[in-house]
Amino acid sequence: MPEIKVTPLGAGQDVGRSCILVSIGGKNIMLDCGMHMGYNDDRRFPDFSYITQNGRLTEFLDCVIISHFHLDHCGALPFMSEMVGYDGPIYMTHPTKAICPILLEDFRKITVDKKGETNFFTSQMIKDCMKKVVPLNLHQTVQVDDELEIKAYYAGHVLGAAMVHIKVGLESVVYTGDYNMTPDRHLGAAWIDKCRPDVLISESTYATTIRDSKRCRERDFLKKVHESIERGGKVLIPVFALGRAQELCILLETFWERMNLKAPIYFSTGLTEKANHYYKLFITWTNQKIRKTFVQRNMFEFKHIKPFDRSYADNPGPMVVFATPGMLHAGQSLQIFKKWAGHEKNMVIMPGYCVQGTIGHKILNGQRKLEMEGRATVRILFQLDVKLQVEYMSFSAHADAKGIMQLIRMAEPRNMLLVHGEAVKMEFLKGKIEQEFNCHMPANGETVTVTTNPSVPVDISLNLLKREMALGGTLPDPKKPRTMHGTLIMKENSLKLVSSEQALKELGLNEHQLRFTCRVPLQDPHSDPDTLHGIYLHLKSVLKGYTIQHLPDGTVMVESIVIKVSSSAEDPNTKVLLLSWSYQVKYFHLLKKG
Amino acid sequence: AMEETDFQDVLDDWFIESLNAYKDLHVYQLEHPTQVLEWTSGKTVCVGGHGASKNEILELLLPLKLFADENKGLCAERDFKVVHGGFTEGPVRCLRHVPGSRCVVTNDGLSSDLQVWSVGGDDSDVIRLTGRVEGRKRRTTKSVSGGGSRIAARLSSQVLHGAQSGDVQLTQLTSGQILYTLETTSDDPLSSLQFVSDAVFLAGASNGNVYVADTRTSAAPQLHPAPASPGESALWWTDASPRAAVLRLSSSGQAVVSDLRSPGGAVSRARLDVQSGRGDPEVGVSWAPALDGCIAVSGFGGAVQIYDTSLWATEPRDAEPLFEHRGHAVSSRSGVFVAAHVWHPERPRTLLSAASDGSVHVWDWVDQSAAGC
């Protein structure tokens, strides 16, 4: 039976490292190559030993596909391609290709410079890895080779995030990556056509979550900012330039306008260059509706938001500052943080995940005393008391229980596969999905084999079709399947059903007919022709309704059975009846009757 | 379209107002709307679908952020988690948690029988049907509209249930034994049933009568007759507070507070503005568990109203709500009504509300009045 195998790689059940291996139609595909951010050792990488115990992965993989730029989906990519070894194509959308290396480099710097790790990929490795990337456009079918084709669909979630459709012959798999089903201000909802894949792969955590609305998250952000400003405090919002910053700026601008607020809002200069780059990427990637939203807002020409100068950090009174980098690990945001951390009235809002080793990560874990390096001619360490208010907010758009069912019903898969869950504890969920679709839940490292039942298309020759139709009845009639005779020919890459004669002709063979004969001895004093005639008359009387002929060439035919009479010269009374019939069993009863 | 922009503007306005009107606000969308909201612990709540055929019962864990008091800022978790689920044939019209257990009891509104469920532990996500309880069937000449049973539960797996005053009984779930039956000749359809102490319970009838009885005796119940109501016969809903105050609300907006211990008397009254757009409202009234004198009212439309009954007098006057949660109405493009609400057992101003469009809100309102709760 044809089958598709899916294996989520890695040890540990927690979500945090997406890397899924799919075997379909003889092809091996790696979906995402993420890092587990909670571990410091090899457990943070997917377990590639499943593919091969030693050596490079190139010959074992036909391609690698990355769904979006979050580190838990691409963080291990340079490690996989440059340190384990893979030289084949790596597919991702254009925005992902642009943003990935920036995030990877940031991540590398933090891990190596801040945490002093040695066994980690280098900047050069990131560059070499990105050279292997083949960019994808939405809804465009890409031939990886002459049998494997892939297509990207819009996933929402973050800029450039894609769901991917993989097809080999008539078998297909869809991998969702991270996606969301409710559109918000800047990202549309994921969309896929009724492609009916054999397997749809998604995250089980979606199915057990019911998400708080985006508006409520935004409300919380505005409330916190407003409360700080009202009491004269300063608000620092460290952002990674590409993505969240624009959204939050627009939100604050609208709010400031509506509430007629006067406190200044600034964005650091590092933000502008990257933001314009992002803006251009966004415009070409998104659809009409979203493009309009952005076009209406000229990227950084806000009424209330102005470029920041570092001297402003010392200005008295309330203010809001957007500064890079996003995890407070270096640069301007860290400088501002050091100045403002000592006052209770101030606030820092972290709008996303912070990697271990960064100041961001430490304060989000409740640390209130930090060891900092001072800038002076001599390197000094000092302790910073964190007195300002720390707020952790999550704005990422993810699907939830309702959303996953919407997506499944859009695509109509034959089988559903949920990763990163514990099947034993998810009986209800499995049962719920199984009301409509088959559902599997593999553990990490466990392979799920899904048997497929692909239709095999066969062309039927016109002659054969006409012949069948001539036999009567409407064609096709799904309620009355018919048996028909023909020959199946496999020519080039197609299958054809033709009549036997045509098949023989194509093969250059002569048609042979099988005939059986049997000899029946008979005692009869008459002459041969008279005996034959007697038989003829006898048969005519007992076999009514059948075609019986006495032919001039001295044979009697009953349908297609031929009867002859012969005798030897020595013994003219001993006749031999020679019966001959072709290989058509249905006439056999006639012989017996006669 | 113009309408869409207007809708978004109204929604935006409401969210801006909410910055001052609420401390916490969470907005969720269930796959299927629920008519029940029942706490199974301080942090988990059960909901159930009410479609014609197969429905889900879900136990949801409230977001961690709601409970993180000191370190609230460090907690980004705002989502509900579906921790347990099960399937039921038929709608869930009433759902009650059996205190001190992992059991819930449901009624489908079509008959007076109950379904008993076991909500799984850590090792399984399944809510499993473990038994049934037959409702008391009494021949009655009156036809009953909306047939379903009301349910109240208490410790030791004992469940009080009945669709009418005449068929209320107390069943021991583990043995199926009937421990008590309410002895009364009346057959009033019930709109509520609740324990007011270990042994004393209150049965609120839709015609406004309230029966108070003690499960330790077989004496006839004490009757608190329906308040005098002008005009046509109204429907009534009842709730009793921990401080022995009984609230009754009619479908025409008449509200009466009386003392559990003195039948026939009324402590205070008010007229609530309950313009009902619906012919047969599914009304919920409840006393706040941690806010003296405050009540919540829902079901007449798309809002939940909070009133301070301590401002009410003996002579009925129009009462203004202390607070109105309009989130469901504002977020819906077409008419929506709130199907259920419930107060948090400890947090004074936190409520959950569920509406007919599947939305569930968790909100912690701010008392902006000078006096009051």
Side-chain angles (χ1 to χ4, degrees), chain A residues 212 215 219 258 392 432, chain B residues 12-13 18 22 31 73 78:
Chain A
D212 191 10
R215 266 209 161 89
R219 174 199 175 263
R258 189 191 273 271
Y392 186 18
K432 180 184 151 101
Chain B
D12 282 341
D13 283 342
S18 80
Y22 302 85
E31 211 184 330
R78 302 182 65 96

Side-chain angles (χ1 to χ4, degrees), chain B residues 350-361:
Chain B
T350 303
L351 285 100
L352 271 69
S353 51
S356 52
D357 61 353
S359 57
V360 170
H361 294 181

Side-chain angles (χ1 to χ4, degrees), chain B residues 226-229 236 247-248 253-258 264-272 309 311-319:
Chain B
S229 164
W236 289 86
L247 167 77
R248 272 177 284 195
Q254 205 185 340
V256 179
V257 176
S258 55
V267 170
S268 58
R269 297 168 200 273
R271 279 191 301 266
L272 309 187
T309 63
L311 302 175
W312 296 358
T314 42
E315 282 311 305
R317 283 201 301 263
D318 289 342

Side-chain angles (χ1 to χ4, degrees), chain A residues 39-283:
Chain A
Y39 294 112
N40 284 325
D41 49 30
D42 281 351
R43 283 176 299 176
R44 64 185 157 191
F45 300 120
D47 185 6
F48 300 119
S49 67
Y50 176 82
I51 305 170
T52 174
Q53 291 291 330
N54 42 33
R56 304 177 71 77
L57 303 174
T58 314
E59 61 180 290
F60 298 96
L61 292 175
D62 292 279
C63 72
V64 173
I65 305 174
I66 302 293
S67 63
H68 64 288
F69 61 64
H70 278 155
L71 288 173
D72 57 344
H73 289 257
C74 73
L77 190 63
F79 170 78
M80 191 273 298
S81 72
E82 307 311 305
M83 294 171 85
V84 178
Y86 169 75
D87 299 312
I90 301 172
Y91 290 95
M92 59 181 77
T93 61
H94 286 275
T96 311
K97 182 180 178 196
I99 298 169
C100 230
I102 302 172
L103 279 177
L104 287 169
E105 179 54 33
D106 255 0
F107 176 49
R108 187 207 68 77
K109 263 207 288 238
I110 293 167
T111 313
V112 172
D113 299 349
K114 296 280 166 214
K115 290 161 69 186
E117 285 200 35
T118 45
N119 187 28
F120 209 74
F121 49 83
T122 62
S123 292
Q124 188 56 43
M125 286 179 184
I126 297 174
K127 295 193 177 93
D128 293 337
C129 171
M130 296 312 288
K131 285 185 193 134
K132 298 168 185 172
V133 169
V134 179
L136 294 170
N137 288 314
L138 280 179
H139 306 161
Q140 180 194 53
T141 305
V142 169
Q143 295 290 142
V144 177
D145 58 37
D146 54 8
E147 286 169 316
L148 169 61
E149 56 181 58
I150 62 176
K151 182 156 82 164
Y153 286 91
Y154 187 78
H157 186 56
V158 289
L159 176 63
M163 305 189 288
V164 68
H165 181 261
I166 299 151
K167 192 161 127 169
V168 179
L170 290 154
E171 292 175 299
S172 61
V173 167
V174 167
Y175 170 58
T176 66
D178 286 347
Y179 64 101
N180 64 282
M181 295 303 290
T182 35
D184 61 30
R185 289 172 212 274
H186 314 294
L187 293 167
W191 178 85
I192 194 163
D193 48 18
K194 210 186 275 295
C195 51
R196 297 211 176 98
D198 291 289
V199 185
L200 177 66
I201 305 172
S202 192
E203 284 278 338
S204 58
T205 41
Y206 290 165
T208 52
T209 307
I210 300 179
R211 293 214 186 261
D212 191 10
S213 70
K214 191 79 179 285
R215 266 209 161 89
C216 278
R217 294 170 203 271
E218 291 175 346
R219 174 199 175 263
D220 207 27
F221 171 72
L222 292 176
K223 193 167 158 65
K224 292 289 178 325
V225 171
H226 192 222
E227 278 167 5
S228 294
I229 296 296
E230 292 276 273
R231 60 171 185 243
K234 296 169 166 55
V235 182
L236 172 65
I237 308 171
V239 283
F240 169 66
L242 308 176
R244 213 49 75 195
Q246 282 65 40
E247 204 183 319
L248 297 176
C249 279
I250 292 171
L251 196 55
L252 275 190
E253 165 94 346
T254 319
F255 184 60
W256 248 240
E257 185 70 24
R258 189 191 273 271
M259 305 289 277
N260 200 22
L261 298 173
K262 300 293 178 218
I265 311 175
Y266 302 109
F267 58 86
S268 65
T269 43
L271 214 63
T272 341
E273 296 126 32
K274 289 187 189 139
N276 283 327
H277 172 61
Y278 171 81
Y279 171 68
K280 287 195 193 99
L281 267 176
F282 204 74
I283 288 302

